[in-house]
Structure formats: C-alpha cells, structure tokens
Amino acid sequence: MARTPLMAGNWKMNLDHLEAAHLVQSLAWTLKDQGHDYSAVEVAVIPPFTDIRTVQSLVDADSLPIKYGAQDVSIHDEGAYTGEISTGMLTKLGCTFVIVGHSERRQYHGETNELVGQKAKKVLDAGMTPIMCCGEALEIRKAGTHVQFVLGQIDAMLAGLSAAEVAKSVIAYEPIWAIGTGEVATPQDAQEVCGAIRKRVGELFDASTAQAVRIQYGGSVKSKNVREIMAQPDVDGALVGGASLKADEFAKIVTYQK
Ligand code: PEP
C-alpha cells in the first residue's frame, strides 16, 4: 500500500492567533488556486497552543482539508501540572497530530526518549497521530555514528508501542545540525537514515508495519530542495520549520510534484 506523503509545518513559538488565521487562510487559498489534491499529499499546520482554537474555527467554518495539531503534550490527564496541556484538551480542539520529542524540547526541556515514547502512547490512546522526532547532533554526525545513534532513539521511543500503533504513527528524522541552520542534509543523507529507520521498524515489528509507517525528513526544507528529498524511497514527507511561516513558500513545498 502506497504511503501518502505528509507535509507538516511546525510554526514553533511564532505567530499569534490573528497571524495564524491569516496564514491558514492564505495557505488554503494558495493551495486551492493551484488545485492541490489533499488526498495525494496531506497538509498539516502545527501552531502554538494559543492559536489552535482559531485554526479549528477556520478549518471547521470553511471545511478546509488542512489538518492541524500541537507541538507537545503532557503525559498527565489533568491536575496540578502548571503550564501543561493534556491529550483530552487537544482532541476537543480537533487536533490530528502532536509532535513529540522535537530536538528543541529535548535540548531545552531535558526530554528523554523514554518520555517521548510515553507521550507518543498518550497521543495514540487519545486517537491522534504522534509525529515522533529523532536526529543526531553535529558531533555524532562527524563521528560517523549517526545511524546507530538514531536507531537507539527509535528502539527506546517505540519500546512501549504495538505494531498497529507504530503503523499509524509518523517518525520525523531531523538531524539537529540541519534545523534552522540553512544546512540541509543531502537527499542521500536523508535516505540513509530514513531507510535505516524503516528497516529497524521491520526488525522490531514486521514488514507490513515497516511499509506502513510514514517517515518524514526535517531540517531546512525549502521549495528549492524539497523535490530531491521527496524523491528518496523512504522519505514520506517533510517536517518544515521556518519555511512553513510563509504561505507561498509552504504551498510550493506541498506542491513539490508540480
Ligand atoms: C523543525 O524545527 O522541525 C525544522 C525542521 O525547522 P527548519 O525547517 O526551520 O530547519
């Protein structure tokens, strides 16, 4: 079964709710003008928590085929966890996706693979799809141990999930040295690790799970480099940061086949 590519825009801590409305509307219009087929390439925006209600209202009011989600989630359901947001709150807002374990959460909030795996499980239990991030720092890449390092992250993140849960999940390979730096991994670099991840999923679970799981590449993806990256057999989409903040540029990434 062919995997549907997923282009997801991670807005990070950018855009207030008014700017969010403007961007989603512009993106929807631009993609409509271009006759984008959302069943061929799925599109998602991942705004800050404070924008999600606005995005939901727009998507619902205009029946937009754009999906949306959150950048993080709590492992707790409710209670004295100041600043945290539960999966229940996100499902109420109609979220489809939740990013877990982005390298910025790992770096600034000390998130471990085990915590990321727990978050992924909470997201799946709530009926949403986790986008599980992994990727190596520059020193690891220079030492040539990046594949081994990323597979270690995969083993730990997927340890508590079933084959069926992994099959419906998304894994995003994002080499840290390529995030927000303008330094893109070559298409061959992206394929090397995405291919190794798929092989590992096959070893940990089975061949059909490996065929089903979607694996994105992320790290300075732009309209000018997306096509070659998407041509790699094990790359099923992109997690896009900076370039997802401009409707025209993100639309060009989404419509990379044209
Ligand atoms: C990201 O943060 O997930 C990302 C890939 O950012 P950028 O595209 O800006 O490198």
Side-chain angles (χ1 to χ4, degrees), residues 5-257:
L6 168 66
M7 295 302 185
N10 173 18
W11 295 0
K12 310 193 187 196
M13 196 174 71
N14 292 295
L15 309 184
D16 62 32
H17 73 285
L18 299 173
E19 294 164 329
H22 183 68
L23 178 52
V24 170
Q25 264 165 344
S26 307
L27 180 64
W29 286 330
T30 309
L31 289 174
K32 192 171 178 202
D33 274 357
Q34 295 179 10
H36 179 62
D37 177 2
Y38 286 84
S39 66
V41 178
E42 221 177 317
V43 182
V45 294
I46 316 285
F49 288 129
T50 50
D51 299 353
I52 297 177
R53 177 72 176 130
T54 301
V55 172
Q56 178 191 33
S57 302
L58 267 177
V59 165
D60 286 356
D62 296 342
S63 301
L64 300 178
I66 294 175
K67 295 185 175 151
Y68 55 91
Q71 298 172 15
D72 183 36
V73 74
S74 176
I75 53 165
H76 304 290
D77 289 329
E78 62 183 353
Y81 301 102
T82 302
E84 297 208 18
I85 300 290
S86 71
T87 51
M89 293 167 177
L90 297 179
T91 51
K92 259 267 167 355
L93 289 168
C95 289
T96 299
F97 296 103
V98 182
I99 296 177
V100 293
H102 190 279
S103 61
E104 288 150 17
R105 300 279 328 159
R106 292 171 184 266
Q107 184 180 352
Y108 304 126
H109 302 273
E111 295 198 4
T112 60
N113 292 321
E114 289 66 28
L115 179 69
V116 176
Q118 281 180 283
K119 289 187 176 193
K121 176 78 179 141
K122 288 297 286 185
V123 170
L124 286 155
D125 286 349
M128 298 179 288
T129 301
I131 300 177
M132 287 178 253
C133 300
C134 57
E136 80 286 355
L138 189 58
E139 313 81 75
I140 295 172
R141 165 68 55 168
K142 281 185 175 159
T145 52
H146 49 284
V147 173
Q148 191 188 327
F149 176 85
V150 170
L151 294 183
Q153 291 182 311
I154 294 293
D155 290 352
M157 285 196 296
L158 304 188
L161 305 184
S162 68
E165 287 173 330
V166 173
K168 57 188 173 195
S169 296
V170 177
I171 295 171
Y173 167 57
E174 300 204 299
I176 297 170
W177 48 270
I179 296 181
T181 56
E183 193 77 41
V184 199
T186 64
Q188 293 70 30
D189 289 338
Q191 171 56 28
E192 178 192 33
V193 182
C194 292
I197 293 172
R198 195 176 308 285
K199 185 161 172 278
R200 184 60 138 241
V201 170
E203 288 158 4
L204 293 171
F205 299 94
D206 50 55
S208 68
T209 306
Q211 277 314 305
V213 66
R214 288 191 288 181
I215 304 175
Q216 296 178 307
Y217 168 77
S220 298
V221 172
K222 310 259 184 297
S223 58
K224 62 177 193 299
N225 58 32
V226 64
R227 194 189 280 245
E228 283 178 294
I229 290 167
M230 288 303 295
Q232 303 306 309
D234 288 302
V235 177
D236 306 317
L239 186 54
V240 184
S244 70
L245 296 171
K246 295 265 183 306
D248 281 0
E249 175 65 3
F250 190 49
K252 280 187 198 153
I253 291 172
V254 168
T255 56
Y256 67 95
Q257 284 157 319

